[in-house]
């Protein structure tokens, strides 16, 4: 097994990764709050963890990867309204219609961008009972209190024995100053205490029964409950964007510690932000690009459309912990690099194999692994893959040679990293496949025309309907039949 070093944001150090159970990894990543379309920044974070998941699988780990869907409890920035309920009112829909709509959008984006599905994708609303049980445990352990039907985590009590701020390195006094006096906070013993359960105001439409009131659970609690339910009281990796470090992840640690008396997570991984126009991409400020606007080229900053694989390549060219700026120029450059990589793969298939090798492929292969073992350094990996491209072109020009063993190693390594680990797609193959598909549909249109000519309407309708069921629509006009996919 490869030895991996991970930058652990809990300790602020790059550490040798040791899973709790040899050969197995438990990884939890905070999923999206499904109240609007995911933007490219969200995609960057999830893609970084997709790459990490892919690499663990590639080197032989069995991974239980849990990424949740936040479909309740996430309050707006001013702490007054639930994001999903607010959107439901604006769009005049049921909260669960909002959840369904944007979960479908999220899954569609993941499919377009070639994500592997997580092992479990739990929802907050599917775990209300577990959240109520966890709150009761925290109350029983003396670290939460009930006021007017709401339950708050008692941070000063917790801090007598435990270290609140262990992850974000904030000191509790600072968090008091940073907490604004807002709606409902007057109930709290101390302003920095956070809600585990909130009594629902009459206008609040997502509500459940509990021992304390009809209300809804706090956002931080769902991740504590779902991560520990599926991965255990202690698990290997917890991830998310670095904007979640405080207060969300800090509170997760406090809640889990208050429930189970154990630090829940061994390695915390935080990804950096995707910027647009020099500022963090964000739903609330509207400074964002939708993934679909990139592959349709409909965003005003773009001069053309960029395929999901090119966008993936663009994201993978930066280390997950660096800030990345998206722009038309950066995507154009990524497209060129992506094309060079894919053309080299097509050339590789046609290379002549020699009896002897003049290139040390095993050293190069190890360099690719070393890059990934060094905190998943995809930009360095990509630089090595371009060295692989150089080898391919030199062999093609008869300036270097490869024997069968080295040829196989070069081909396998290029394919493994480009497709399995980085998750890219060979567009030239895609284009070939789409040309084949067009040919097959045209063949069916011809058979349908012949059926119509012999008045075999049953067959002609069957062809039309069955193609439609596969998402292919035939359109008849005086000029003939066309189709749309
Ligand atoms: P949310 O749906 O707002 O809870 O965000 C889902 C994930 O996207 C979280 O892990 C956030 O940290 C992450 N995220 C939000 N904005 C950005 C951004 N501009 N760049 C990268 N990740 C982001
Ligand atoms: Zn979370």
């Amino acid at each position: 097994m490869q030895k991996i070093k991970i930058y652990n944001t809990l300790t602020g150090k790059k550490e040798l990764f040791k899973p709790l159970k040899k050969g197995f990894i438990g990884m939890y990543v905070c999923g999206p709050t499904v109240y609007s379309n995911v933007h490219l920044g969200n995609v960057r974070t999830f893609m970084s963890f997709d790459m990490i998941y892919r690499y663990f699988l590639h080197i032989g780990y069995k991974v239980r990867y849990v990424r949740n869907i936040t479909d309740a409890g996430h309050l707006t920035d001013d702490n007054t309204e639930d994001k999903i309920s607010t959107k439901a009112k604006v769009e005049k829909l049921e909260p669960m219609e909002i959840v369904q709509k944007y979960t479908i959008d999220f899954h569609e984006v993941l499919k377009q961008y070639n994500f592997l599905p997580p092992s479990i994708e739990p929802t907050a609303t599917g775990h209300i009972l577990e959240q109520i049980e966890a709150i009761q445990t925290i109350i029983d352990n003396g670290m939460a209190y009930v006021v007017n039907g709401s339950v708050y985590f008692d941070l000063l009590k917790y801090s007598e024995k435990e270290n609140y701020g262990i992850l974000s390195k904030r000191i509790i006094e600072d968090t008091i100053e940073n907490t604004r006096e807002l709606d409902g906070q007057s109930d709290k013993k101390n302003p920095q205490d956070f809600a585990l359960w909130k009594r629902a105001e009459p206008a609040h439409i997502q509500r459940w029964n509990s021992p304390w009131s009809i209300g809804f659970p706090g956002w931080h609690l769902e991740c504590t409950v779902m991560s520990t339910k599926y991965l255990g009281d202690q698990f290997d990796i917890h991830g998310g964007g670095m904007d979640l470090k405080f207060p969300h992840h800090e509170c997760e640690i406090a809640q889990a510690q208050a429930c189970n008396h154990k630090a829940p997570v061994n390695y915390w991984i935080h990804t950096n932000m995707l910027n647009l126009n020099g500022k963090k991409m964000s739903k609330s400020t509207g400074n964002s690009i939708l993934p679909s606007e990139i592959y349709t080229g409909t965003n005003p900053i773009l001069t053309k459309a960029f395929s999901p694989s090119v966008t993936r390549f663009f994201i993978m060219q930066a280390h997950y912990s660096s800030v990345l700026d998206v722009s038309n120029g950066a995507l154009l450059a990524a497209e060129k690099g992506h094309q060079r990589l894919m053309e080299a793969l097509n050339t590789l298939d046609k290379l002549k194999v020699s009896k002897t090798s003049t290139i040390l492929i095993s050293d190069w292969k190890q360099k690719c692994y070393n890059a990934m073992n060094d905190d998943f350094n995809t930009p360095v990996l990509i630089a090595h893959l371009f060295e692989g491209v150089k080898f391919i072109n030199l062999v093609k020009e008869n300036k270097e040679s490869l024997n069968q063993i080295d040829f196989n190693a070069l081909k396998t390594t290029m394919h493994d990293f480009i497709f399995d680990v980085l998750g890219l797609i060979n567009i030239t193959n895609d284009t070939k496949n789409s040309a084949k598909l067009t040919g097959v549909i045209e063949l069916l249109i011809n058979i349908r025309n012949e059926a119509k000519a012999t008045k075999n309407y049953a067959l002609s309708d069957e062809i039309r309907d069955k193609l439609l069921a596969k998402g292919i629509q035939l359109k008849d006009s005086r000029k003939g039949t066309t189709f749309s996919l």
Side-chain angles (χ1 to χ4, degrees), residues 37-47 109 113 274-275 281-282 287-292 294 308 311-312 314-315 324 326-327 331:
N37 305 93
V38 280
H39 57 61
L40 197 67
N42 305 128
V43 171
R44 182 191 183 197
T45 284
F46 298 128
M47 196 179 278
V109 168
Y113 284 78
L274 183 71
N275 282 356
M281 198 175 280
S282 137
N287 184 42
S288 67
I289 301 187
L290 297 183
S292 60
I294 301 211
T311 313
R312 208 177 223 278
F314 157 71
I315 290 175
L324 175 64
V326 63
S327 66
L331 285 165

PDB file of all heavy atoms in Angstrom, residues 37-47 109 113 274-275 281-282 287-292 294 308 311-312 314-315 324 326-327 331:
ATOM      1  N   ASN A  37     -29.308  25.967  -6.983  1.00  0.00           N
ATOM      2  CA  ASN A  37     -28.391  25.190  -7.819  1.00  0.00           C
ATOM      3  C   ASN A  37     -26.981  25.270  -7.255  1.00  0.00           C
ATOM      4  O   ASN A  37     -26.562  26.330  -6.813  1.00  0.00           O
ATOM      5  CB  ASN A  37     -28.337  25.775  -9.242  1.00  0.00           C
ATOM      6  CG  ASN A  37     -29.709  25.877  -9.862  1.00  0.00           C
ATOM      7  OD1 ASN A  37     -30.364  26.899  -9.768  1.00  0.00           O
ATOM      8  ND2 ASN A  37     -30.148  24.820 -10.479  1.00  0.00           N
ATOM      9  N   VAL A  38     -26.247  24.172  -7.305  1.00  0.00           N
ATOM     10  CA  VAL A  38     -24.844  24.250  -6.873  1.00  0.00           C
ATOM     11  C   VAL A  38     -24.063  25.081  -7.889  1.00  0.00           C
ATOM     12  O   VAL A  38     -24.326  25.008  -9.085  1.00  0.00           O
ATOM     13  CB  VAL A  38     -24.163  22.850  -6.745  1.00  0.00           C
ATOM     14  CG1 VAL A  38     -24.528  22.163  -5.472  1.00  0.00           C
ATOM     15  CG2 VAL A  38     -24.421  21.978  -7.955  1.00  0.00           C
ATOM     16  N   HIS A  39     -23.133  25.903  -7.401  1.00  0.00           N
ATOM     17  CA  HIS A  39     -22.292  26.678  -8.332  1.00  0.00           C
ATOM     18  C   HIS A  39     -20.942  25.980  -8.488  1.00  0.00           C
ATOM     19  O   HIS A  39     -20.678  24.964  -7.830  1.00  0.00           O
ATOM     20  CB  HIS A  39     -22.156  28.142  -7.884  1.00  0.00           C
ATOM     21  CG  HIS A  39     -21.600  28.333  -6.497  1.00  0.00           C
ATOM     22  ND1 HIS A  39     -20.351  27.895  -6.138  1.00  0.00           N
ATOM     23  CD2 HIS A  39     -22.129  28.916  -5.383  1.00  0.00           C
ATOM     24  CE1 HIS A  39     -20.123  28.220  -4.878  1.00  0.00           C
ATOM     25  NE2 HIS A  39     -21.192  28.825  -4.381  1.00  0.00           N
ATOM     26  N   LEU A  40     -20.102  26.553  -9.356  1.00  0.00           N
ATOM     27  CA  LEU A  40     -18.846  25.869  -9.661  1.00  0.00           C
ATOM     28  C   LEU A  40     -17.920  25.776  -8.441  1.00  0.00           C
ATOM     29  O   LEU A  40     -17.100  24.864  -8.355  1.00  0.00           O
ATOM     30  CB  LEU A  40     -18.134  26.580 -10.821  1.00  0.00           C
ATOM     31  CG  LEU A  40     -17.059  25.744 -11.493  1.00  0.00           C
ATOM     32  CD1 LEU A  40     -17.645  24.550 -12.222  1.00  0.00           C
ATOM     33  CD2 LEU A  40     -16.233  26.585 -12.451  1.00  0.00           C
ATOM     34  N   GLY A  41     -18.066  26.707  -7.488  1.00  0.00           N
ATOM     35  CA  GLY A  41     -17.264  26.649  -6.259  1.00  0.00           C
ATOM     36  C   GLY A  41     -17.614  25.403  -5.449  1.00  0.00           C
ATOM     37  O   GLY A  41     -16.728  24.667  -4.995  1.00  0.00           O
ATOM     38  N   ASN A  42     -18.905  25.165  -5.275  1.00  0.00           N
ATOM     39  CA  ASN A  42     -19.333  23.947  -4.571  1.00  0.00           C
ATOM     40  C   ASN A  42     -18.774  22.719  -5.299  1.00  0.00           C
ATOM     41  O   ASN A  42     -18.254  21.797  -4.665  1.00  0.00           O
ATOM     42  CB  ASN A  42     -20.860  23.819  -4.535  1.00  0.00           C
ATOM     43  CG  ASN A  42     -21.572  25.026  -3.951  1.00  0.00           C
ATOM     44  OD1 ASN A  42     -22.479  25.568  -4.569  1.00  0.00           O
ATOM     45  ND2 ASN A  42     -21.162  25.462  -2.771  1.00  0.00           N
ATOM     46  N   VAL A  43     -18.873  22.770  -6.625  1.00  0.00           N
ATOM     47  CA  VAL A  43     -18.392  21.631  -7.418  1.00  0.00           C
ATOM     48  C   VAL A  43     -16.905  21.404  -7.169  1.00  0.00           C
ATOM     49  O   VAL A  43     -16.442  20.271  -7.049  1.00  0.00           O
ATOM     50  CB  VAL A  43     -18.672  21.859  -8.928  1.00  0.00           C
ATOM     51  CG1 VAL A  43     -17.992  20.813  -9.790  1.00  0.00           C
ATOM     52  CG2 VAL A  43     -20.172  21.850  -9.180  1.00  0.00           C
ATOM     53  N   ARG A  44     -16.139  22.501  -7.059  1.00  0.00           N
ATOM     54  CA  ARG A  44     -14.702  22.343  -6.817  1.00  0.00           C
ATOM     55  C   ARG A  44     -14.455  21.552  -5.535  1.00  0.00           C
ATOM     56  O   ARG A  44     -13.630  20.646  -5.505  1.00  0.00           O
ATOM     57  CB  ARG A  44     -14.010  23.704  -6.722  1.00  0.00           C
ATOM     58  CG  ARG A  44     -12.526  23.501  -6.522  1.00  0.00           C
ATOM     59  CD  ARG A  44     -11.750  24.733  -6.152  1.00  0.00           C
ATOM     60  NE  ARG A  44     -10.338  24.379  -6.079  1.00  0.00           N
ATOM     61  CZ  ARG A  44      -9.414  25.087  -5.484  1.00  0.00           C
ATOM     62  NH1 ARG A  44      -9.718  26.236  -4.925  1.00  0.00           N
ATOM     63  NH2 ARG A  44      -8.165  24.674  -5.442  1.00  0.00           N
ATOM     64  N   THR A  45     -15.153  21.936  -4.469  1.00  0.00           N
ATOM     65  CA  THR A  45     -14.936  21.241  -3.204  1.00  0.00           C
ATOM     66  C   THR A  45     -15.307  19.763  -3.321  1.00  0.00           C
ATOM     67  O   THR A  45     -14.535  18.883  -2.938  1.00  0.00           O
ATOM     68  CB  THR A  45     -15.734  21.947  -2.079  1.00  0.00           C
ATOM     69  OG1 THR A  45     -15.013  23.132  -1.740  1.00  0.00           O
ATOM     70  CG2 THR A  45     -15.859  21.092  -0.841  1.00  0.00           C
ATOM     71  N   PHE A  46     -16.481  19.480  -3.873  1.00  0.00           N
ATOM     72  CA  PHE A  46     -16.885  18.068  -3.976  1.00  0.00           C
ATOM     73  C   PHE A  46     -15.952  17.297  -4.917  1.00  0.00           C
ATOM     74  O   PHE A  46     -15.683  16.119  -4.695  1.00  0.00           O
ATOM     75  CB  PHE A  46     -18.349  17.962  -4.425  1.00  0.00           C
ATOM     76  CG  PHE A  46     -19.291  18.593  -3.430  1.00  0.00           C
ATOM     77  CD1 PHE A  46     -20.229  19.542  -3.817  1.00  0.00           C
ATOM     78  CD2 PHE A  46     -19.219  18.255  -2.080  1.00  0.00           C
ATOM     79  CE1 PHE A  46     -21.075  20.133  -2.892  1.00  0.00           C
ATOM     80  CE2 PHE A  46     -20.059  18.849  -1.143  1.00  0.00           C
ATOM     81  CZ  PHE A  46     -20.984  19.793  -1.546  1.00  0.00           C
ATOM     82  N   MET A  47     -15.448  17.988  -5.941  1.00  0.00           N
ATOM     83  CA  MET A  47     -14.545  17.321  -6.884  1.00  0.00           C
ATOM     84  C   MET A  47     -13.210  16.977  -6.219  1.00  0.00           C
ATOM     85  O   MET A  47     -12.612  15.941  -6.501  1.00  0.00           O
ATOM     86  CB  MET A  47     -14.314  18.239  -8.087  1.00  0.00           C
ATOM     87  CG  MET A  47     -13.732  17.526  -9.276  1.00  0.00           C
ATOM     88  SD  MET A  47     -13.531  18.665 -10.632  1.00  0.00           S
ATOM     89  CE  MET A  47     -15.157  18.703 -11.330  1.00  0.00           C
ATOM     90  N   VAL A 109     -25.483  17.502 -12.063  1.00  0.00           N
ATOM     91  CA  VAL A 109     -24.150  18.110 -12.190  1.00  0.00           C
ATOM     92  C   VAL A 109     -23.077  17.050 -11.928  1.00  0.00           C
ATOM     93  O   VAL A 109     -22.096  16.938 -12.667  1.00  0.00           O
ATOM     94  CB  VAL A 109     -24.005  19.303 -11.217  1.00  0.00           C
ATOM     95  CG1 VAL A 109     -22.563  19.767 -11.122  1.00  0.00           C
ATOM     96  CG2 VAL A 109     -24.904  20.456 -11.642  1.00  0.00           C
ATOM     97  N   TYR A 113     -20.172  15.814 -14.516  1.00  0.00           N
ATOM     98  CA  TYR A 113     -18.757  16.026 -14.195  1.00  0.00           C
ATOM     99  C   TYR A 113     -18.059  14.738 -13.767  1.00  0.00           C
ATOM    100  O   TYR A 113     -16.985  14.778 -13.193  1.00  0.00           O
ATOM    101  CB  TYR A 113     -18.610  17.151 -13.148  1.00  0.00           C
ATOM    102  CG  TYR A 113     -18.801  18.508 -13.786  1.00  0.00           C
ATOM    103  CD1 TYR A 113     -20.067  18.985 -14.082  1.00  0.00           C
ATOM    104  CD2 TYR A 113     -17.705  19.271 -14.168  1.00  0.00           C
ATOM    105  CE1 TYR A 113     -20.257  20.203 -14.715  1.00  0.00           C
ATOM    106  CE2 TYR A 113     -17.872  20.493 -14.804  1.00  0.00           C
ATOM    107  CZ  TYR A 113     -19.151  20.952 -15.074  1.00  0.00           C
ATOM    108  OH  TYR A 113     -19.316  22.156 -15.714  1.00  0.00           O
ATOM    109  N   LEU A 274     -12.972  28.564  -4.629  1.00  0.00           N
ATOM    110  CA  LEU A 274     -12.922  28.972  -6.026  1.00  0.00           C
ATOM    111  C   LEU A 274     -13.399  30.420  -6.078  1.00  0.00           C
ATOM    112  O   LEU A 274     -14.453  30.752  -5.523  1.00  0.00           O
ATOM    113  CB  LEU A 274     -13.841  28.088  -6.877  1.00  0.00           C
ATOM    114  CG  LEU A 274     -13.804  28.382  -8.371  1.00  0.00           C
ATOM    115  CD1 LEU A 274     -12.476  27.923  -8.981  1.00  0.00           C
ATOM    116  CD2 LEU A 274     -14.948  27.676  -9.097  1.00  0.00           C
ATOM    117  N   ASN A 275     -12.592  31.257  -6.702  1.00  0.00           N
ATOM    118  CA  ASN A 275     -12.930  32.682  -6.805  1.00  0.00           C
ATOM    119  C   ASN A 275     -13.419  33.041  -8.203  1.00  0.00           C
ATOM    120  O   ASN A 275     -13.024  32.412  -9.185  1.00  0.00           O
ATOM    121  CB  ASN A 275     -11.688  33.543  -6.533  1.00  0.00           C
ATOM    122  CG  ASN A 275     -11.377  33.631  -5.054  1.00  0.00           C
ATOM    123  OD1 ASN A 275     -12.109  33.115  -4.226  1.00  0.00           O
ATOM    124  ND2 ASN A 275     -10.274  34.292  -4.731  1.00  0.00           N
ATOM    125  N   MET A 281     -16.577  32.642  -4.806  1.00  0.00           N
ATOM    126  CA  MET A 281     -17.845  32.352  -5.471  1.00  0.00           C
ATOM    127  C   MET A 281     -18.865  32.013  -4.401  1.00  0.00           C
ATOM    128  O   MET A 281     -18.571  31.243  -3.487  1.00  0.00           O
ATOM    129  CB  MET A 281     -17.658  31.177  -6.425  1.00  0.00           C
ATOM    130  CG  MET A 281     -18.751  31.099  -7.442  1.00  0.00           C
ATOM    131  SD  MET A 281     -18.472  29.820  -8.672  1.00  0.00           S
ATOM    132  CE  MET A 281     -17.322  30.602  -9.774  1.00  0.00           C
ATOM    133  N   SER A 282     -20.037  32.604  -4.496  1.00  0.00           N
ATOM    134  CA  SER A 282     -20.995  32.400  -3.415  1.00  0.00           C
ATOM    135  C   SER A 282     -22.427  32.568  -3.899  1.00  0.00           C
ATOM    136  O   SER A 282     -22.716  33.411  -4.759  1.00  0.00           O
ATOM    137  CB  SER A 282     -20.657  33.391  -2.285  1.00  0.00           C
ATOM    138  OG  SER A 282     -21.805  33.974  -1.766  1.00  0.00           O
ATOM    139  N   ASN A 287     -22.205  36.147  -6.866  1.00  0.00           N
ATOM    140  CA  ASN A 287     -20.940  36.094  -7.604  1.00  0.00           C
ATOM    141  C   ASN A 287     -20.635  34.629  -7.936  1.00  0.00           C
ATOM    142  O   ASN A 287     -19.814  33.995  -7.283  1.00  0.00           O
ATOM    143  CB  ASN A 287     -19.829  36.706  -6.726  1.00  0.00           C
ATOM    144  CG  ASN A 287     -18.495  36.778  -7.441  1.00  0.00           C
ATOM    145  OD1 ASN A 287     -18.435  37.125  -8.620  1.00  0.00           O
ATOM    146  ND2 ASN A 287     -17.420  36.414  -6.742  1.00  0.00           N
ATOM    147  N   SER A 288     -21.357  34.105  -8.914  1.00  0.00           N
ATOM    148  CA  SER A 288     -21.173  32.670  -9.163  1.00  0.00           C
ATOM    149  C   SER A 288     -21.431  32.304 -10.621  1.00  0.00           C
ATOM    150  O   SER A 288     -22.062  33.049 -11.362  1.00  0.00           O
ATOM    151  CB  SER A 288     -22.104  31.862  -8.259  1.00  0.00           C
ATOM    152  OG  SER A 288     -23.435  32.073  -8.622  1.00  0.00           O
ATOM    153  N   ILE A 289     -20.917  31.130 -10.986  1.00  0.00           N
ATOM    154  CA  ILE A 289     -21.172  30.556 -12.311  1.00  0.00           C
ATOM    155  C   ILE A 289     -21.765  29.180 -12.077  1.00  0.00           C
ATOM    156  O   ILE A 289     -21.270  28.412 -11.238  1.00  0.00           O
ATOM    157  CB  ILE A 289     -19.873  30.350 -13.114  1.00  0.00           C
ATOM    158  CG1 ILE A 289     -19.138  31.652 -13.315  1.00  0.00           C
ATOM    159  CG2 ILE A 289     -20.158  29.703 -14.462  1.00  0.00           C
ATOM    160  CD1 ILE A 289     -17.943  31.529 -14.252  1.00  0.00           C
ATOM    161  N   LEU A 290     -22.803  28.852 -12.825  1.00  0.00           N
ATOM    162  CA  LEU A 290     -23.377  27.514 -12.699  1.00  0.00           C
ATOM    163  C   LEU A 290     -22.596  26.558 -13.603  1.00  0.00           C
ATOM    164  O   LEU A 290     -22.185  26.949 -14.698  1.00  0.00           O
ATOM    165  CB  LEU A 290     -24.845  27.516 -13.116  1.00  0.00           C
ATOM    166  CG  LEU A 290     -25.793  28.357 -12.278  1.00  0.00           C
ATOM    167  CD1 LEU A 290     -27.226  28.188 -12.770  1.00  0.00           C
ATOM    168  CD2 LEU A 290     -25.707  27.956 -10.801  1.00  0.00           C
ATOM    169  N   PRO A 291     -22.434  25.324 -13.153  1.00  0.00           N
ATOM    170  CA  PRO A 291     -21.720  24.349 -13.992  1.00  0.00           C
ATOM    171  C   PRO A 291     -22.337  24.234 -15.386  1.00  0.00           C
ATOM    172  O   PRO A 291     -21.624  24.148 -16.387  1.00  0.00           O
ATOM    173  CB  PRO A 291     -21.884  23.031 -13.230  1.00  0.00           C
ATOM    174  CG  PRO A 291     -22.205  23.414 -11.836  1.00  0.00           C
ATOM    175  CD  PRO A 291     -22.852  24.750 -11.858  1.00  0.00           C
ATOM    176  N   SER A 292     -23.674  24.303 -15.460  1.00  0.00           N
ATOM    177  CA  SER A 292     -24.315  24.149 -16.771  1.00  0.00           C
ATOM    178  C   SER A 292     -24.012  25.338 -17.686  1.00  0.00           C
ATOM    179  O   SER A 292     -24.003  25.211 -18.903  1.00  0.00           O
ATOM    180  CB  SER A 292     -25.828  23.994 -16.599  1.00  0.00           C
ATOM    181  OG  SER A 292     -26.342  25.129 -15.956  1.00  0.00           O
ATOM    182  N   ILE A 294     -21.209  26.610 -17.983  1.00  0.00           N
ATOM    183  CA  ILE A 294     -19.874  26.395 -18.544  1.00  0.00           C
ATOM    184  C   ILE A 294     -19.964  25.447 -19.733  1.00  0.00           C
ATOM    185  O   ILE A 294     -19.427  25.716 -20.795  1.00  0.00           O
ATOM    186  CB  ILE A 294     -18.917  25.868 -17.461  1.00  0.00           C
ATOM    187  CG1 ILE A 294     -18.868  26.901 -16.347  1.00  0.00           C
ATOM    188  CG2 ILE A 294     -17.554  25.550 -18.044  1.00  0.00           C
ATOM    189  CD1 ILE A 294     -17.614  27.012 -15.613  1.00  0.00           C
ATOM    190  N   PRO A 308     -17.287  19.425 -19.511  1.00  0.00           N
ATOM    191  CA  PRO A 308     -17.057  19.126 -18.097  1.00  0.00           C
ATOM    192  C   PRO A 308     -15.653  18.566 -17.833  1.00  0.00           C
ATOM    193  O   PRO A 308     -15.042  18.882 -16.820  1.00  0.00           O
ATOM    194  CB  PRO A 308     -18.131  18.090 -17.780  1.00  0.00           C
ATOM    195  CG  PRO A 308     -19.251  18.433 -18.706  1.00  0.00           C
ATOM    196  CD  PRO A 308     -18.573  18.863 -19.971  1.00  0.00           C
ATOM    197  N   THR A 311     -13.233  21.364 -17.648  1.00  0.00           N
ATOM    198  CA  THR A 311     -13.429  22.088 -16.383  1.00  0.00           C
ATOM    199  C   THR A 311     -12.808  21.299 -15.232  1.00  0.00           C
ATOM    200  O   THR A 311     -12.194  21.853 -14.322  1.00  0.00           O
ATOM    201  CB  THR A 311     -14.939  22.314 -16.144  1.00  0.00           C
ATOM    202  OG1 THR A 311     -15.505  22.808 -17.343  1.00  0.00           O
ATOM    203  CG2 THR A 311     -15.183  23.288 -15.017  1.00  0.00           C
ATOM    204  N   ARG A 312     -12.967  19.986 -15.269  1.00  0.00           N
ATOM    205  CA  ARG A 312     -12.368  19.124 -14.247  1.00  0.00           C
ATOM    206  C   ARG A 312     -10.837  19.272 -14.289  1.00  0.00           C
ATOM    207  O   ARG A 312     -10.186  19.406 -13.262  1.00  0.00           O
ATOM    208  CB  ARG A 312     -12.756  17.666 -14.526  1.00  0.00           C
ATOM    209  CG  ARG A 312     -12.811  16.815 -13.293  1.00  0.00           C
ATOM    210  CD  ARG A 312     -13.272  15.413 -13.670  1.00  0.00           C
ATOM    211  NE  ARG A 312     -14.240  14.897 -12.748  1.00  0.00           N
ATOM    212  CZ  ARG A 312     -13.951  14.329 -11.574  1.00  0.00           C
ATOM    213  NH1 ARG A 312     -12.723  14.204 -11.156  1.00  0.00           N
ATOM    214  NH2 ARG A 312     -14.895  13.895 -10.795  1.00  0.00           N
ATOM    215  N   PHE A 314      -9.152  21.786 -15.395  1.00  0.00           N
ATOM    216  CA  PHE A 314      -8.832  23.128 -14.878  1.00  0.00           C
ATOM    217  C   PHE A 314      -8.780  23.094 -13.340  1.00  0.00           C
ATOM    218  O   PHE A 314      -7.854  23.627 -12.722  1.00  0.00           O
ATOM    219  CB  PHE A 314      -9.886  24.126 -15.381  1.00  0.00           C
ATOM    220  CG  PHE A 314     -10.019  25.363 -14.546  1.00  0.00           C
ATOM    221  CD1 PHE A 314      -9.015  26.322 -14.550  1.00  0.00           C
ATOM    222  CD2 PHE A 314     -11.134  25.563 -13.734  1.00  0.00           C
ATOM    223  CE1 PHE A 314      -9.118  27.461 -13.772  1.00  0.00           C
ATOM    224  CE2 PHE A 314     -11.247  26.692 -12.957  1.00  0.00           C
ATOM    225  CZ  PHE A 314     -10.236  27.644 -12.965  1.00  0.00           C
ATOM    226  N   ILE A 315      -9.760  22.448 -12.726  1.00  0.00           N
ATOM    227  CA  ILE A 315      -9.809  22.404 -11.254  1.00  0.00           C
ATOM    228  C   ILE A 315      -8.662  21.558 -10.704  1.00  0.00           C
ATOM    229  O   ILE A 315      -8.013  21.921  -9.722  1.00  0.00           O
ATOM    230  CB  ILE A 315     -11.193  21.889 -10.780  1.00  0.00           C
ATOM    231  CG1 ILE A 315     -12.250  22.961 -11.078  1.00  0.00           C
ATOM    232  CG2 ILE A 315     -11.179  21.526  -9.288  1.00  0.00           C
ATOM    233  CD1 ILE A 315     -13.687  22.566 -10.793  1.00  0.00           C
ATOM    234  N   LEU A 324      -8.235  29.239  -6.164  1.00  0.00           N
ATOM    235  CA  LEU A 324      -8.213  29.124  -7.622  1.00  0.00           C
ATOM    236  C   LEU A 324      -9.186  30.144  -8.200  1.00  0.00           C
ATOM    237  O   LEU A 324     -10.298  30.301  -7.688  1.00  0.00           O
ATOM    238  CB  LEU A 324      -8.620  27.692  -8.013  1.00  0.00           C
ATOM    239  CG  LEU A 324      -8.783  27.370  -9.491  1.00  0.00           C
ATOM    240  CD1 LEU A 324      -7.448  27.506 -10.231  1.00  0.00           C
ATOM    241  CD2 LEU A 324      -9.298  25.931  -9.679  1.00  0.00           C
ATOM    242  N   VAL A 326     -11.386  31.322 -11.450  1.00  0.00           N
ATOM    243  CA  VAL A 326     -11.885  30.859 -12.737  1.00  0.00           C
ATOM    244  C   VAL A 326     -12.041  32.060 -13.673  1.00  0.00           C
ATOM    245  O   VAL A 326     -12.461  33.134 -13.245  1.00  0.00           O
ATOM    246  CB  VAL A 326     -13.220  30.077 -12.589  1.00  0.00           C
ATOM    247  CG1 VAL A 326     -14.331  30.916 -12.042  1.00  0.00           C
ATOM    248  CG2 VAL A 326     -13.653  29.467 -13.932  1.00  0.00           C
ATOM    249  N   SER A 327     -11.621  31.863 -14.929  1.00  0.00           N
ATOM    250  CA  SER A 327     -11.782  32.929 -15.931  1.00  0.00           C
ATOM    251  C   SER A 327     -11.816  32.264 -17.297  1.00  0.00           C
ATOM    252  O   SER A 327     -11.441  31.091 -17.443  1.00  0.00           O
ATOM    253  CB  SER A 327     -10.603  33.905 -15.874  1.00  0.00           C
ATOM    254  OG  SER A 327      -9.431  33.231 -16.272  1.00  0.00           O
ATOM    255  N   LEU A 331      -9.721  28.812 -18.541  1.00  0.00           N
ATOM    256  CA  LEU A 331     -10.400  27.646 -19.129  1.00  0.00           C
ATOM    257  C   LEU A 331      -9.863  27.364 -20.539  1.00  0.00           C
ATOM    258  O   LEU A 331      -9.701  26.201 -20.922  1.00  0.00           O
ATOM    259  CB  LEU A 331     -11.915  27.864 -19.150  1.00  0.00           C
ATOM    260  CG  LEU A 331     -12.587  27.722 -17.776  1.00  0.00           C
ATOM    261  CD1 LEU A 331     -13.992  28.312 -17.787  1.00  0.00           C
ATOM    262  CD2 LEU A 331     -12.637  26.264 -17.326  1.00  0.00           C
TER     263      LEU A 331
END
